[in-house]
Amino acid sequence: MRIRLWGTRGSVASPGPDTVRYGGNTACVEVRTASVLIVLDAGTGIRRLGAQLSDYSGRIDLMLTHLHLDHLQGLGFFEPCFRPDVELHIWGPASTTADLGERLARYLSPPLFPVRLRNLGGRVVLHDVPREPFEVGDVVVHGQPIIHPGPTVGYRITDGSGSLAYLPDHEPALGAPTYPMPPAWTSGHELAAGADVLLHDAQYTTDEYATRVGWGHSSIDQTWEFARQAEVGQLVTFHHDPSHDDDQLDSLVAQLQERDGLEVTGGTEGLEIAL
Amino acid sequence: MAQPIELILVRHLASRLTIPTLLTDVEGTLVFYNEAAEPLLGRRFDEAGEMAFDEWTSAYAVRDESGQLVRSEQIPLVRALRSRRPIHVRIEIIGLDGTPRMLEVSAFPLVGQGDQRLGAVTFFWESQAEEG
């Protein structure tokens, strides 16, 4: 399995001279195995990924964790959407209020976007993420609801080479009387447990989190505790706050790297990981 | 075993309420009760831990308003879980400390995405005398 980060920023795209190394594009991760191409989230990072796929034909599985704009905004700029030789399977969390197509169309329709989802030109197949693990090609995907405002899932992707857990927007500490709680009572633990790589929300400092409880994100300390409890092989920080520049992020990552018991990598745009 | 996110959120909420609250999973296992419920049940949750359906339904004697013993399948929480309907009744519970307490009970089922049954929640109130 090869993993490449195309967008690591949270909340809103934040390009500029202070965010060159960690990147300004919002969430998008490419996962390739021997037989499948999975794209995790369609933040603004997906545009550059699409440009790299100009010769690609066949099936692409786009797995959305949720439909907040920073995870969806790039979809209309994903070039394979417009090609009839690509079959795009879009997976998203189920909702009781509207099906996935209706919810995607709230963005992919005028006046917010000039082209409707049904008119993109490519073949698009929509799926609600089932609660049970499912197979796509040679990988097993497990999507589970996790704590974040609105229907939101995290994913675990496993093939013969290893496992990736992806929980970019996640606040497992919300409301917990102590943190971390026992594993069975910790949101997302089952997805992350023993994963070779965990990409996890690390949006805030501890001080920032104190004034943003309930916003759906984690402090770097909570993220570290979550990863340590899950005994992951490597924690990659993700969903960086748009106000954090490269130097601040270096400092936050360094704080985590000084601690024993966990390999920590700062999630930078362009980072590639091979399992 | 990992609990569904809905049960995790209810537990977190219950842990912050002063309303005595019980939480069962879809199998009827008593997976949590909060600090406010501990005096009513006669034991701290940390000591009691999770209890399988047969265990907790036999540990607590429940009587209806006329003093008749309530069978386990008629306990409000179990009715809510199985009927998928809310229940509000007055009952008497004899907790693990042997003390009988008359309580009002509201129980409702938890149903998640895809119509999935997840468990049930029960709130207790000290019983108020009927007006008039």
Side-chain angles (χ1 to χ4, degrees):
Chain A
M1 185 188 306
R2 289 185 296 116
I3 303 157
R4 178 165 181 172
L5 312 189
W6 291 90
T8 64
R9 190 63 55 172
S11 305
V12 68
S14 311
D18 297 331
T19 58
V20 170
R21 279 182 287 116
Y22 284 84
N25 280 305
T26 61
C28 181
V29 176
E30 174 188 5
V31 180
R32 291 215 189 220
T33 70
S35 70
V36 302
L37 168 54
I38 292 174
V39 181
L40 296 166
D41 279 327
T44 61
I46 201 173
R47 189 193 65 79
R48 287 188 63 226
L49 168 60
Q52 296 285 315
L53 297 173
S54 57
D55 296 330
Y56 184 90
S57 62
R59 174 171 174 152
I60 299 174
D61 286 88
L62 170 60
M63 300 193 174
L64 302 171
T65 54
H66 62 307
L67 305 190
H68 287 165
L69 209 52
D70 55 326
H71 294 252
L72 189 61
Q73 191 177 5
L75 181 57
F77 302 91
F78 186 47
E79 192 268 342
C81 285
F82 299 91
R83 295 214 319 263
D85 60 340
V86 170
E87 185 172 283
L88 182 64
H89 289 253
I90 303 178
W91 303 77
S95 164
T96 53
T97 56
D99 65 32
L100 183 59
E102 285 179 68
R103 285 177 288 142
L104 288 172
R106 289 176 188 166
Y107 166 53
L108 287 167
S109 63
L112 296 182
F113 194 76
V115 182
R116 294 183 188 278
L117 178 64
R118 64 173 178 269
N119 296 330
L120 286 178
R123 289 177 291 163
V124 177
V125 184
L126 303 177
H127 307 266
D128 285 344
V129 176
R131 278 196 178 243
E132 299 304 316
F134 56 100
E135 292 182 8
V136 177
D138 62 343
V139 307
V140 176
V141 180
H142 192 186
Q144 265 191 347
I146 57 174
I147 295 180
H148 187 68
T152 303
V153 295
Y155 290 104
R156 182 187 181 103
I157 298 172
T158 305
D159 75 349
S161 66
S163 54
L164 163 69
Y166 177 69
L167 296 85
D169 293 50
H170 188 209
E171 189 179 5
L174 179 64
T178 59
Y179 184 79
M181 293 284 283
W185 290 96
T186 297
S187 167
H189 175 86
E190 188 177 19
L191 293 176
D196 295 289
V197 176
L198 167 65
L199 297 178
H200 195 277
D201 188 326
Q203 181 144 350
Y204 301 132
T205 66
T206 297
D207 287 346
E208 288 168 342
Y209 179 76
T211 61
R212 293 163 171 81
V213 174
W215 290 22
H217 302 290
S218 294
S219 72
I220 58 163
D221 295 303
Q222 290 162 350
T223 295
W224 192 86
E225 289 288 355
F226 178 85
R228 189 185 56 81
Q229 184 185 54
E231 297 181 334
V232 302
Q234 179 183 11
L235 165 65
V236 179
T237 61
F238 201 82
H239 209 271
H240 309 302
D241 192 87
S243 71
H244 291 171
D245 63 24
D246 287 334
D247 291 341
Q248 282 176 289
L249 290 171
D250 279 344
S251 171
L252 294 174
V253 171
Q255 287 176 37
L256 301 185
Q257 288 171 333
E258 287 170 4
R259 303 176 189 179
D260 293 332
L262 198 59
E263 181 183 344
V264 179
T265 303
T268 53
E269 201 169 302
L271 178 69
E272 294 187 64
I273 302 166
L275 297 182
Chain B
M1 194 185 88
Q3 298 292 353
I5 192 70
E6 295 86 351
L7 262 60
I8 292 174
L9 287 166
V10 171
R11 176 177 174 158
H12 289 358
L13 172 64
S15 70
R16 292 172 181 275
L17 296 179
T18 57
I19 304 165
T21 307
L22 265 66
L23 177 61
T24 59
D25 68 13
V26 71
E27 305 295 334
T29 301
L30 180 57
V31 292
F32 181 69
Y33 54 87
N34 65 2
E35 207 172 309
E38 290 174 347
L40 305 181
L41 301 177
R43 187 183 291 181
R44 296 184 60 236
F45 178 72
D46 286 346
E47 298 166 2
E50 292 188 7
M51 282 187 272
F53 176 76
D54 289 342
E55 187 182 354
W56 71 266
T57 53
S58 59
Y60 300 102
V62 179
R63 298 181 190 279
D64 63 19
E65 286 188 272
S66 62
Q68 296 294 309
L69 202 62
V70 176
R71 298 193 312 273
S72 60
E73 64 267 25
Q74 290 299 313
I75 289 172
L77 195 152
V78 178
R79 288 169 60 195
L81 186 63
R82 293 183 175 170
S83 69
R84 308 177 72 152
R85 299 284 302 164
I87 307 284
H88 184 87
V89 293
R90 287 202 332 151
I91 56 170
E92 183 184 68
I93 289 183
I94 302 172
L96 296 176
D97 60 356
T99 305
R101 295 176 178 87
M102 190 58 100
L103 301 167
E104 289 183 55
V105 175
S106 296
F108 59 90
L110 296 171
V111 181
Q113 300 289 343
D115 209 28
Q116 186 182 27
R117 288 197 309 165
L118 299 164
V121 178
T122 302
F123 294 127
F124 293 101
W125 284 267
E126 296 282 356
S127 184
Q128 303 289 311
E130 299 249 351
E131 291 184 9

